[in-house]
């Protein structure tokens, strides 16, 4: 089926033509320059001979729109791909060109490498931005891009491959002096080895798939019997899901906090962190609320954790934007668990508190530019919180609620950022992730941020679909959230609808 698919469909290759506009003169400061770009830094919109002229966005929804915006802010043409399910989506009109890559099911469109590469060829782009999900952490896709001489806006496929194996990532972390959860040094060879290790570290232990991540393929074991059954189940599950049944062991930590560190690394050996995000409020490994900085994290722990993240990505030969995930226990000891080798859903939280446009920086480093700021140029500004608004019914087990949005009245005003591709009259397709908006608040202190978020959630009026907005209204008034004492058990303890 290739991209020639539906060649005769007049809508297939309709675009708005070339992007008219980056005729801005050099040396005009952009918002954001104030905080991080040094005085002698030529941080301008000057047209760089090495900068991409046209990028393909291999994603959909809010992140496709987010990347279109970054492209246009950089004077780059944005070409977006879409499936039949998304053909009427309004954000497509904001791209300079749109190309249909197949039917609704993601495996036939957004995950179909041949179709995406054909679209890139057709549109004559120099680079592909994969967004998050879909092909974003697929080293084979990055390899195909390289073979086709298209820049993949993400880490090199070698780094992606090594970090994609979570047991390998643990080894890299250890080699860089980064603390990991006590556990196996490698993948498990046989049940006897697993039993011996479990007795050494003490039950409960967690069996994790080496090829897993994000909570897929995990089993808790609290004794010899559940360890044996868990090993078999986890191996089977991992074999089916990832065609790699290897597993490793970690000591199971009870209700830790989940804190991740944002990093950026260029092709010249420079790497910086952009502080952390607290991501403990999640349900079934889907995050609901994220914030920066992590409340009640002692400054010395923050510093240690952020420096550990930089050492880790440098040891891994990592480039571009990435995230190091840590678990943090009651005594604020932190343990590395995995690297997310992509831009993440919650990246705007970090953008608000640092003033760095992470998607722009991804594009710049992929084009070979050195980072424009040093670690000491990056400072924390206030507090930011993000609420993920999903088309789900939080009062019905988070059942997906796709369909026609009949009312979409969005909040605004001081301290509010809304990243969304949705408009009134938009139909949320049933085929993909149900994220419809990311609502963010940013103020100079956490109580003020909370006040703005409560006010914004009150202003937000959606009809036609069920959303998680009412749940967020409750979370923003929940005492442990207000106190900043949440952990990964929060939703299970608190949300009993
Ligand atoms: C753990 C853990 C406890 N102990 N590892 C889940 C997602 C994946 N990234 C790692 N996860 C966990 N690993 C040890 N050794 C608890 C979790 C976990 C979790 C982690 C982060 C955010 C939410 C979570 C919810 C349940 C379990």
């Amino acid at each position: 089926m290739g991209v020639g698919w539906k060649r005769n469909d007049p809508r297939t290759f309709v675009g708005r033509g070339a992007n008219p506009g980056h005729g801005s003169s050099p040396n005009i400061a952009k918002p954001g320059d104030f905080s991080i770009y040094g005085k002698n830094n030529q941080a301008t919109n000057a047209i760089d001979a090495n900068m991409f002229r046209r990028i393909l966005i291999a994603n959909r929804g809010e992140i496709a729109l987010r990347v279109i915006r970054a492209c246009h802010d950089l004077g780059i043409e944005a070409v977006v791909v879409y499936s039949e399910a998304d053909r009427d989506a309004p954000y497509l009109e904001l791209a300079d060109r749109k190309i249909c890559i197949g039917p609704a099911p993601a495996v036939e469109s957004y995950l179909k490498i041949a179709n995406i590469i054909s679209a890139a060829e057709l549109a004559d782009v120099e680079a592909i931005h994969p967004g998050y999900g879909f092909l974003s952490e697929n080293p084979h896709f990055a390899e195909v891009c390289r073979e086709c001489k298209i820049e993949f806006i993400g880490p090199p496929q070698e780094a992606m491959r090594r970090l994609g194996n979570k047991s390998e990532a643990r080894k890299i972390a250890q080699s860089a002096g980064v603390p990991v959860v006590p556990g196996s040094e490698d993948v498990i060879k046989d049940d006897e080895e697993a039993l011996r290790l479990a007795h050494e570290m003490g039950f409960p232990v967690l069996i994790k798939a080496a090829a897993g991540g994000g909570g897929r393929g995990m089993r808790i074991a609290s004794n010899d019997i559940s360890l044996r059954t868990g090993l078999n189940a986890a191996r089977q599950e991992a074999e089916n899901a990832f065609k790699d049944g290897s597993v490793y062991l970690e000591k199971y930590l009870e209700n830790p906090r989940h804190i991740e560190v944002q990093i950026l690394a260029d092709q010249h050996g420079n790497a910086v962190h952009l502080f952390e995000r607290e991501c403990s409020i999640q349900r079934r490994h889907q995050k609901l609320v994220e914030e920066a900085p992590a409340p009640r994290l002692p400054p010395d722990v923050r510093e240690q954790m952020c420096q550990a993240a930089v050492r880790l990505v440098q040891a891994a030969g990592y480039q571009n934007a990435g995230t190091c995930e840590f678990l943090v226990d009651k005594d604020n000891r932190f343990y590395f668990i995995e690297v997310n080798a992509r831009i993440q859903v919650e990246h705007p939280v970090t953008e608000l508190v640092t003033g760095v446009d992470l998607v722009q920086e991804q594009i710049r480093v992929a084009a070979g530019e050195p980072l424009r700021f040093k670690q000491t140029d990056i400072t924390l500004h206030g507090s930011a919180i993000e609420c993920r608004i999903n088309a789900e019914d939080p009062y019905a087990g988070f059942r997906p609620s796709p369909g026609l949005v009949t009312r979409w009245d969005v909040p605004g005003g001081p301290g509010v950022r809304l990243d969304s591709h949705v408009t009134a009259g938009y139909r949320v397709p049933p085929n993909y992730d149900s994220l419809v908006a990311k609502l963010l608040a940013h103020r100079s202190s956490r109580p003020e941020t909370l006040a703005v978020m409560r006010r914004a959630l009150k202003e937000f009026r959606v009809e036609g679909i069920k959303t998680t907005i009412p749940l967020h209204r409750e979370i923003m008034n929940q005492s442990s959230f207000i106190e900043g004492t949440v952990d990964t058990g929060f939703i299970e303890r608190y949300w009993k609808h």
Side-chain angles (χ1 to χ4, degrees), residues 137-293:
E137 292 184 89
N138 184 327
H140 174 65
F141 179 58
E143 185 180 354
V144 172
C145 288
R146 186 188 286 174
E147 290 294 321
C148 296
K149 307 226 169 359
I150 301 165
E151 202 65 44
F152 174 81
I153 302 173
Q157 56 123 336
E158 293 83 2
M160 217 190 287
R161 224 178 273 283
R162 272 190 287 159
L163 294 170
N165 183 315
K166 309 302 166 191
S167 178
E168 200 66 34
R170 273 172 64 86
K171 283 189 237 172
I172 298 170
Q174 283 175 291
S175 77
V178 174
V180 298
V181 188
S184 57
E185 262 168 46
D186 211 325
V187 293
I188 298 296
K189 279 156 210 73
D190 51 48
D191 286 14
E192 305 319 308
E193 183 193 15
L195 285 163
R196 185 171 51 74
L197 286 169
H199 282 271
E200 264 172 44
M201 63 182 124
F203 286 107
V205 298
L206 196 53
I207 309 160
K208 295 185 174 186
R216 294 167 305 170
M218 298 195 323
R219 283 284 188 292
I220 301 174
S222 44
N223 54 51
D224 287 11
I225 295 167
S226 64
L227 181 58
R228 283 185 195 274
T229 36
L231 281 168
N232 287 331
R235 284 195 193 105
Q236 195 62 58
E237 201 175 301
E239 186 63 46
N240 292 340
F242 320 113
K243 296 184 198 102
D244 174 2
S246 55
V247 298
Y248 63 102
L249 285 192
E250 279 181 4
K251 171 84 185 157
Y252 178 67
L253 306 177
E254 195 101 30
N255 292 337
R257 292 172 77 182
H258 179 206
I259 300 178
E260 57 190 26
V261 176
Q262 177 70 54
I263 65 92
L264 267 175
D266 66 18
Q267 299 179 5
H268 310 279
N270 307 303
V272 295
H273 71 77
L274 295 100
F275 299 100
E276 82 284 4
R277 296 183 287 259
E278 155 67 59
C279 300
S280 294
I281 301 189
Q282 52 75 46
R283 179 186 170 271
R284 302 199 178 163
H285 308 298
Q286 291 296 320
K287 292 165 189 162
L288 295 166
V289 178
E290 304 97 350
E291 75 171 290

Side-chain angles (χ1 to χ4, degrees), residues 355-377:
V356 175
D357 185 318
L358 288 169
V359 181
Q360 273 197 27
E361 299 308 331
Q362 282 194 289
I363 295 169
R364 289 178 190 275
V365 300
E369 286 189 18
L371 286 176
R372 301 179 298 159
F373 33 78
K374 308 184 297 292
Q375 188 63 67
T376 51
D377 294 327

